[in-house]
Amino acid sequence: MASRLPLLCLCIAAAAHLAGARDAQEPTAAAWGLQRRALHPSQPSPAMEDWEEPSEWTSWFNVDHPGGDGDFESLAAIRFYYGPARVCPQPLALEARTTDWALPSAVGERVHLNPTRGFWCLNREQPRGRRCSNYHVRFRCPLEIAWTAWGPWGPCSRSCGPGRRLRRRSCPGPDEDACPGRGLEVQKCVRPRCPGCSPDICGCPDHILLGSVVTSSGRPLSGARVSLRARPGTVATSDAHGAFRVPGVCASGQANMSAQVDGFSPGAAQARANSSNSSVVTIVLNKLRKPYLVKHPESRVREAGHNVTFCCKAVGNPVPKKYSWFHNGTLLDRREHGSGTHLELHGLRAEQAGGYHCKAWSEAGTVRSGTAQLTVLALGQPACDPQPREHLIKLPDDCSRPGDSGPTYLDVGLCPDTPCPGPAGSGTHCGDVGSRCCAVCRLESREIHCASYVLPVKVVAECGCQKCLPPRGLVRGRVVAADSQEPLSFARILLGLESIGFTSYQGDFTLEVPSSMERLVVTFVDPRGEFVDTVRVLPFDPRGAGVYHEVQAMRKKAAVLLDTSQSNTILLGDLEGQVPMGELVLPPGSIRAADSSPYMGTVEARVTFVDPRDLASAAAAPSNLRFVDGDGELAPLHTYGMFSVDLRAPGSTEQLHAGPVAVRVAADQIHMAGHMEALRLWSLDPETGLWEEESGFGRQGPPGPRVRREERVFLAGNVEIRERRLFNLDVPERRRCFVKVRAFANDKFTASEQVEGVVVTLVNLEPAPGFSANPRAWGRFDSAVTGPNGACLPAFCDEDRPDAYTALVTATLGGEELEPSPSRPRPLPATVGVTQPYLDRLGYRRTDHNDPAFKRTGFHINLAKPRPGDPNEAHGPVYPWRSLRECQDAPVTASHFRFSRVESDKYEYNVVPFREGAPASWTGDLLSWWPNPQEFRACYLKVKVQGPQEVVVRSHNAGGSHPRTRGQLYGLRDARSVRDPQYPDTSAACVEFKCGGMLFDQRQVDRTLVTVTPQGSCRRVAVNRLLQDYLVRHPPPAPSDNPAAFAMLAPLDPLGHNYGIYTVTDQSPRLAKEIAIGRCFDGSSDGFSREMKSDVGTAVTFQCREPPARPSLFQRLLESPASVVLDDIRREMGRAARPPSVPRTRQGQ
């Protein structure tokens, strides 16, 4: 029964969301599908230009199927299921249509719409005998509106003494809430000292001021230096309880007090009288926090003479007020350009092109932004070459020329996804309003003559500057337990410190990445408290392609009971056969309550240690081991272990504090040269995902010059366990490099078939001396997402000893593991992608190198740093740390490591070319496979195959019901069936088909004519009964006279596994397809599997028999005259010959 409680909670939560819509009583628009205005059923949805305020439509949502009281699409339920980021906080309008894309008025139904509540249709309000249709809805959301420039500073508020002055800016939106931030800024101003005697200076001898100094969480601070604004120097120091006394301060004077403590920013407060001769004050101090950038400068393209503005913003404590700007690494003159968050350049010249970055400063430290590139075009210089670049797509196998030994490719062209110059007047804005990009201007239709049919194709004929599609970085994934792989259900999701939603019952999550974000720091908090708070820095594709992550959560260790009156020691590390890595020592009386009062009694302590000697623990380690160094740059750390501390009173949910606590690390476990002296203790900032230093370590061991073997030497440090609970034993490592990795669609490694959105992970390993293939521990890990030019991963490396550091590199796409190039019996430079002799020095070995039965999903290398002046090592795949730009821009001909997709038995062909990893390559055309560049709906049909062989199943997708596309091809999809390990002679294929629905003009739906045909000698033996009934109820029927195929008009409703149809809608085409395939393999509507389950969730079944063995030429000559056999061979060759002339094709390697 207990196992059903999470599901019950989900049902109750969803019911509560929907009940909010049922009980709504607001006046609504009746019988129309748009809350703002009525539409004729054949009218398209209102365009952006029809609205007064800048706005756009969201994706379509459908969370409720009609039943019971009606159909309900409440905004609260949509935010719950789809994630809060998918709909803006204050929608402007709401549109509803049936799943047949009709407006409510067209079907004669009365509905209710409210942009702040959602949509509902009640069966009791419909005409007699009618029930509500199934509706989906979308919302109109305002675009981000920017502030105007700051106005001048106003006059000082006082003529003498300290005062303040103001300046303002305005928001062009309907109200100031439409713009993030504040419209008013305050600055201190000082005038000459006012004459006369004030109570602060002259004093009241019989009066006293009582005060305290505390942290923002209420913890008392001892040793704080307290001063009175009007008196120089320190007037008091806080005691162990944070209290202080200052005699002679007038009770009615409202004295201004300030306090300072090392590690905290100064604080001030005004005293208030609590009697005739005494006053009280509480001064709150906030811990110093290094600056952290929340907005980086963005790359821009401008014409000569135009203006440009770069923006940079950092947070911290204190808030950074001083910024420095750099051009190509050179500091710009502050007198000319200022030291604020904006850098404005006017009348641009060619020499001002290049890289720009900022640095933010405060007393807590400094931080450096990423580099933005400024391109300055000469007047009349085109930003977008009208001639398309080469882009090769693979043609179907039966479109190959006679005698070809490999696949044939067709050049369909592409337009580079590069920005065009912004408007001339956009120089004062941080973002380019109405930004434009190089995109397709014109397509041309061609025909390819294949074996028995003509294949239509559209190729890019001309490129030009068009309005950019807004990039929406999307991250989807699943959170599971690292030890059992069970999903982390209903875990709270924090973006930084802000709660943004929950994981689903299956542990799934979806995040839309803000456009200005460079580091996506996400925390998953287990509602049951069984897992350590999981902090992750998730890589994403800022260009808008979706990325999938599987996040592993670390289960807390079992609680141990501590007696606070005694010293308690907790071991760090419990690997079998290994000595502990260290220990945590809690002295007597070191545990305190949240208010810092001593806690006496029994304590439940859970100390969870991530031991790097366990190579599998790297996947569950928090954050990504980065810190901000003294130059303000993100630098890597080498870890010797991480630990989480959870202290509670028995039966209580309140965390207890402790300190000072001794952390002792065994010196014999620190093997790398120089690391023993450089080891530091760090704590994790969950808001930034960065580690901050807490203390150093000192050598501690038995007295005397000699140490007996059984006595261990420790490195000892101290830490206070308060707000932060995740700690790290790390060394800043200076030996750093980047490793270049690319991913390809197949093991042909064709440059035009690189795959974007692949998550590549590099784990640094510390090998045993002389045994580079036998790692002793892992030291750090990093992940990156491949783009159009691969990915560069940070790593530790060494120039003198190639095997001082090794690495394990893996790659995943959704739930699919990619394979690297083979290394048996020896790695080949042409296959691995690395030239000799550097390849031998790197020692490339795939994971199955020594054991062919081992999984071949990764490779090991020695991280040999390239030697300066060696031409064989100057062009990758390992680059020096300061050569990141060179690594990112390296051509495909330069050395790199390679991965390829294993699922090569798939083929996709689109009449209108589209690169799924580059959403900006989408072209608006009636024959586009994906009709909406902001919403991608993937549809799959599960085909069961009874027979001894795996077969290729093809779906032919053509226009079905739309008058302008009827009979015209959208595309082809091939998928090879996958063997079911549970059933012999049975396999199944998940075949994609083009979903039915609106085409790109949003005027009329098309039910795609889908024809599914297995290749070989097959016949249809069964069709899913529910699917068959649905197709009968939704005419017209598709032709079904071919017993070797299955045809249907694609359903408009998102049917589920009971029909054998799997539909997923997402903002990323790749993620939508990966999730749909996982569900299809699993045969469920919410599961995920990579193991085919052919007995559940199938749509159609074919029986295929093995083709009869063909007699050899020798046998045929024995049985028939030679002339007859030769005539037969001539006829067969004639049938196989294809018509000549394939335009713009190229033979594959």
Side-chain angles (χ1 to χ4, degrees):
M1 181 66 186
S3 63
R4 297 184 181 179
L5 285 177
L7 181 58
L8 177 62
C9 294
L10 175 62
C11 297
I12 293 173
H17 291 316
L18 296 175
R22 288 177 169 90
D23 297 336
Q25 299 294 327
E26 290 91 336
T28 56
W32 296 108
L34 184 69
Q35 194 267 348
R36 285 274 298 258
R37 55 175 73 90
L39 292 178
H40 189 273
S42 64
Q43 277 187 270
S45 302
M48 186 178 295
E49 291 74 22
D50 297 332
W51 295 77
E52 296 176 358
E53 55 274 80
S55 56
E56 63 180 349
W57 287 108
T58 66
S59 304
W60 290 95
F61 304 104
N62 188 352
V63 296
D64 184 40
H65 290 273
D69 296 334
D71 191 34
F72 302 89
E73 308 292 338
S74 78
L75 180 56
I78 288 170
R79 286 181 170 141
F80 181 82
Y81 287 108
Y82 285 86
R86 298 293 291 272
V87 183
C88 55
Q90 296 179 335
L92 303 174
L94 181 153
E95 182 184 5
R97 289 179 181 255
T98 69
T99 51
D100 291 328
W101 297 96
L103 289 169
S105 58
V107 294
E109 294 177 4
R110 178 181 176 85
V111 300
H112 303 266
L113 303 98
N114 187 306
T116 61
R117 299 293 299 275
F119 164 92
W120 60 102
C121 174
L122 303 176
N123 288 331
R124 67 174 181 267
E125 296 180 350
Q126 306 312 314
R128 184 179 300 274
R130 184 172 183 85
R131 298 174 65 85
C132 292
S133 301
N134 188 10
Y135 284 89
H136 50 195
V137 300
R138 64 176 181 172
F139 298 85
R140 190 81 182 184
C141 284
L143 293 174
E144 183 178 347
I145 300 172
W147 291 98
T148 61
W150 285 105
W153 287 105
C156 193
S157 61
R158 297 188 60 176
S159 58
C160 66
R164 64 177 190 170
R165 60 178 185 169
L166 310 176
R167 68 173 181 174
R168 291 179 170 83
R169 58 180 178 174
S170 61
C171 178
D175 54 67
E176 289 206 349
D177 292 339
C179 298
R182 295 176 297 177
L184 180 69
E185 196 172 57
V186 182
Q187 188 181 66
K188 293 179 181 179
C189 54
V190 179
R191 292 287 181 263
R193 179 176 296 179
C194 298
C197 175
S198 70
D200 287 355
I201 298 175
C202 301
C204 302
D206 298 330
H207 290 206
I208 191 168
L209 181 145
L210 305 175
S212 61
V213 183
V214 298
T215 67
S216 56
S217 62
R219 175 170 63 93
L221 283 173
S222 62
R225 302 178 296 278
V226 181
S227 59
L228 196 60
R229 178 177 296 179
R231 297 184 189 177
T234 300
V235 297
T237 302
S238 61
D239 59 19
H241 302 286
F244 64 88
R245 300 160 61 93
V246 182
V249 176
C250 299
S252 60
Q254 297 183 335
N256 293 302
M257 310 297 297
S258 61
Q260 295 184 37
V261 177
D262 293 340
F264 289 80
S265 61
Q270 193 173 65
R272 55 182 177 82
N274 68 337
S275 69
S276 59
N277 62 350
S278 66
S279 57
V280 294
V281 65
T282 299
I283 306 174
V284 179
L285 302 186
N286 293 305
K287 192 172 182 179
L288 285 176
R289 287 189 59 211
K290 287 187 175 182
Y292 177 69
L293 281 163
V294 294
K295 185 172 184 58
H296 294 252
E298 300 177 20
S299 297
R300 293 283 180 258
V301 177
R302 291 289 188 270
E303 291 183 353
H306 286 190
N307 307 328
V308 71
T309 297
F310 293 109
C311 299
C312 187
K313 183 180 180 181
V315 296
N317 187 41
V319 176
K321 300 289 186 183
K322 181 181 175 184
Y323 291 80
S324 299
W325 287 92
F326 297 79
H327 175 219
N328 292 333
T330 301
L331 178 65
L332 296 177
D333 190 348
R334 294 194 185 98
R335 292 170 297 181
E336 179 182 356
H337 299 286
S339 56
T341 59
H342 291 44
L343 172 66
E344 296 185 7
L345 303 175
H346 301 275
L348 288 172
R349 304 179 303 276
E351 60 268 21
Q352 290 179 291
Y356 288 84
H357 73 268
C358 76
K359 277 190 176 182
W361 307 77
S362 76
E363 58 189 89
T366 181
V367 64
R368 182 192 188 278
S369 76
T371 300
Q373 294 296 321
L374 173 63
T375 302
V376 180
L377 303 174
L379 293 177
Q381 178 184 354
C384 179
D385 188 350
Q387 183 67 29
R389 295 181 182 176
E390 181 184 67
H391 177 58
L392 302 177
I393 64 169
K394 181 183 174 184
L395 294 176
D397 291 337
D398 50 1
C399 293
S400 300
R401 295 175 180 175
D404 285 352
S405 59
T408 299
Y409 290 84
L410 175 70
D411 180 13
V412 297
L414 68 81
C415 299
D417 183 18
T418 55
C420 291
S426 62
T428 59
H429 300 282
C430 289
D432 277 349
V433 179
S435 56
R436 301 184 303 154
C437 301
C438 189
V440 177
C441 278
R442 185 167 56 89
L443 294 171
E444 289 182 356
S445 298
R446 304 285 176 84
E447 289 184 347
I448 306 297
H449 294 277
C450 300
S452 58
Y453 60 94
V454 175
L455 185 70
V457 65
K458 294 195 175 186
V459 300
V460 179
E462 184 181 355
C463 302
C465 289
Q466 307 281 342
K467 184 176 180 180
C468 292
L469 291 173
R472 292 183 176 180
L474 196 69
V475 171
R476 292 195 69 156
R478 189 165 177 254
V479 188
V480 298
D483 52 0
S484 65
Q485 297 300 300
E486 65 177 287
L488 202 64
S489 303
F490 310 118
R492 190 157 57 100
I493 304 174
L494 304 178
L495 188 60
L497 298 179
E498 180 185 358
S499 179
I500 60 171
F502 300 86
T503 61
S504 72
Y505 177 68
Q506 295 289 341
D508 300 311
F509 65 90
T510 301
L511 303 172
E512 187 170 333
V513 186
S515 58
S516 60
M517 183 170 287
E518 291 220 348
R519 276 172 60 88
L520 179 62
V521 183
V522 185
T523 304
F524 302 94
V525 181
D526 176 30
R528 298 168 295 177
E530 296 179 7
F531 292 85
V532 176
D533 290 353
T534 305
V535 183
R536 287 288 186 277
V537 181
L538 299 178
F540 62 94
D541 188 345
R543 302 184 318 127
V547 179
Y548 185 91
H549 293 280
E550 183 168 287
V551 178
Q552 297 195 15
M554 187 170 48
R555 195 182 300 273
K556 292 180 180 177
K557 288 290 185 182
V560 295
L561 298 179
L562 307 181
D563 183 352
T564 58
S565 63
Q566 301 179 2
S567 178
N568 296 276
T569 300
I570 301 174
L571 298 180
L572 300 177
D574 57 358
L575 287 182
E576 186 176 353
Q578 298 269 13
V579 298
M581 194 75 191
E583 57 192 26
L584 200 65
V585 181
L586 289 80
S590 61
I591 298 180
R592 298 178 175 272
D595 61 357
S596 292
S597 61
Y599 177 86
M600 303 301 295
T602 303
V603 172
E604 287 185 349
R606 290 184 170 191
V607 177
T608 308
F609 185 67
V610 180
D611 196 328
R613 297 171 299 180
D614 177 10
L615 299 183
S617 66
S623 185
N624 66 346
L625 292 173
R626 296 285 188 98
F627 78 106
V628 178
D629 64 13
D631 295 326
E633 299 185 15
L634 294 184
L637 293 167
H638 177 290
T639 187
Y640 283 94
M642 311 176 192
F643 60 94
S644 164
V645 182
D646 188 312
L647 303 173
R648 303 177 193 267
S652 173
T653 59
E654 182 179 351
Q655 289 265 18
L656 298 174
H657 297 173
V661 174
V663 182
R664 290 158 41 100
V665 181
D668 57 359
Q669 296 299 310
I670 311 297
H671 303 286
M672 302 288 286
H675 281 199
M676 193 177 301
E677 297 78 13
L679 186 68
R680 298 289 185 270
L681 182 62
W682 310 72
S683 66
L684 180 64
D685 184 346
E687 182 177 5
T688 64
L690 297 172
W691 296 90
E692 297 183 0
E693 186 176 339
E694 291 282 347
S695 74
F697 283 89
R699 190 178 179 90
Q700 184 184 76
R706 301 186 64 183
V707 180
R708 289 179 296 180
R709 172 169 291 182
E710 64 272 14
E711 294 178 322
R712 304 183 72 191
V713 177
F714 287 93
L715 304 177
N718 292 305
V719 67
E720 291 200 359
I721 301 170
R722 296 193 180 275
E723 291 82 7
R724 296 185 181 178
R725 300 282 164 160
L726 279 169
F727 302 93
N728 205 343
L729 312 170
D730 276 15
V731 173
E733 179 61 88
R734 298 293 178 184
R735 297 173 292 177
R736 303 172 289 189
C737 293
F738 285 99
V739 178
K740 184 75 171 191
V741 179
R742 299 180 188 270
F744 295 85
N746 52 58
D747 57 6
K748 302 297 183 184
F749 305 120
T750 306
S752 62
E753 293 186 309
Q754 292 193 64
V755 180
E756 302 176 38
V758 174
V759 179
V760 185
T761 301
L762 185 149
V763 181
N764 260 107
L765 303 174
E766 178 187 325
F771 300 94
S772 59
N774 183 24
R776 180 165 46 201
W778 62 269
R780 71 168 286 106
F781 55 90
D782 266 291
S783 296
V785 177
T786 58
N789 201 33
C792 295
L793 291 101
F796 297 144
C797 59
D798 194 280
E799 181 180 331
D800 300 323
R801 286 183 50 214
D803 62 347
Y805 273 116
T806 65
L808 170 64
V809 186
T810 58
T812 59
L813 180 63
E816 174 193 350
E817 295 178 311
L818 277 67
E819 286 188 2
S821 304
S823 61
R824 289 172 57 89
R826 58 186 301 273
L828 302 176
T831 304
V832 178
V834 181
T835 58
Q836 291 285 21
Y838 201 8
L839 179 59
D840 287 341
R841 187 165 179 248
L842 293 170
Y844 178 90
R845 304 173 308 282
R846 197 165 72 174
T847 47
D848 67 337
H849 184 82
N850 296 323
D851 184 358
F854 204 77
K855 289 181 68 175
R856 49 190 185 186
T857 54
F859 64 85
H860 292 269
I861 54 170
N862 298 328
L863 289 166
K865 185 178 180 179
R867 292 170 290 203
D870 189 336
N872 296 312
E873 302 178 4
H875 304 291
V878 182
Y879 292 83
W881 183 256
R882 295 296 177 186
S883 301
L884 174 59
R885 187 69 187 273
E886 182 182 345
C887 177
Q888 292 172 333
D889 296 341
V892 72
T893 53
S895 292
H896 59 270
F897 294 110
R898 296 167 170 172
F899 283 90
S900 63
R901 298 193 67 173
V902 183
E903 298 177 356
S904 57
D905 292 329
K906 287 184 177 181
Y907 175 71
E908 298 180 359
Y909 173 78
N910 297 327
V911 170
V912 180
F914 174 66
R915 291 171 290 139
E916 292 177 355
S921 67
W922 179 85
T923 305
D925 191 278
L926 287 175
L927 294 179
S928 294
W929 184 275
W930 307 99
N932 185 346
Q934 298 297 309
E935 176 185 68
F936 298 91
R937 189 179 181 198
C939 295
Y940 281 79
L941 181 138
K942 190 169 186 177
V943 179
K944 183 177 181 179
V945 178
Q946 296 174 346
Q949 301 292 330
E950 296 177 348
V951 301
V952 174
V953 183
R954 168 169 291 185
S955 74
H956 180 281
N957 303 267
S961 60
H962 196 289
R964 296 182 60 186
T965 63
R966 187 177 294 119
Q968 297 186 54
L969 184 68
Y970 290 115
L972 304 174
R973 295 293 188 268
D974 290 350
R976 182 176 292 277
S977 62
V978 178
R979 183 73 57 195
D980 187 333
Q982 302 297 324
Y983 298 92
D985 294 338
T986 304
S987 60
C990 294
V991 187
E992 185 184 8
F993 65 91
K994 187 183 184 307
C995 305
M998 285 282 188
L999 299 185
F1000 95 99
D1001 61 355
Q1002 296 288 302
R1003 293 181 180 273
Q1004 190 171 344
V1005 300
D1006 181 35
R1007 293 185 62 189
T1008 311
L1009 176 58
V1010 182
T1011 305
V1012 178
T1013 310
Q1015 295 183 5
S1017 181
C1018 303
R1019 63 185 181 91
R1020 186 179 69 248
V1021 295
V1023 177
N1024 184 295
R1025 183 177 301 175
L1026 289 177
L1027 176 60
Q1028 200 167 25
D1029 292 344
Y1030 177 90
L1031 296 175
V1032 170
R1033 294 196 314 268
H1034 295 77
S1040 58
D1041 53 348
N1042 184 0
F1046 169 73
M1048 70 173 182
L1049 289 178
L1052 296 177
D1053 291 302
L1055 305 181
H1057 67 285
N1058 290 329
Y1059 298 80
I1061 303 291
Y1062 302 86
T1063 305
V1064 173
T1065 302
D1066 206 287
Q1067 291 175 294
S1068 163
R1070 180 176 293 130
L1071 289 182
K1073 293 167 68 170
E1074 291 296 332
I1075 296 169
I1077 291 174
R1079 293 177 181 177
C1080 180
F1081 269 62
D1082 192 59
S1084 67
S1085 292
D1086 59 357
F1088 189 91
S1089 175
R1090 280 292 169 187
E1091 184 177 278
M1092 180 59 75
K1093 301 175 183 178
S1094 64
D1095 61 326
V1096 291
T1098 58
V1100 60
T1101 302
F1102 288 91
Q1103 192 173 65
C1104 302
R1105 58 186 177 87
E1106 193 169 1
R1110 187 175 181 180
S1112 66
L1113 175 62
F1114 180 72
Q1115 290 174 326
R1116 296 169 70 183
L1117 287 172
L1118 288 178
E1119 297 171 359
S1120 304
S1123 59
V1124 176
V1125 174
L1126 293 175
D1127 288 342
D1128 291 342
I1129 293 175
R1130 290 190 189 98
R1131 282 195 297 271
E1132 291 172 4
M1133 293 180 63
R1135 284 196 300 267
R1138 50 171 286 186
S1141 142
V1142 176
R1144 299 173 70 185
T1145 58
R1146 177 171 298 182
Q1147 175 59 29
Q1149 299 298 321

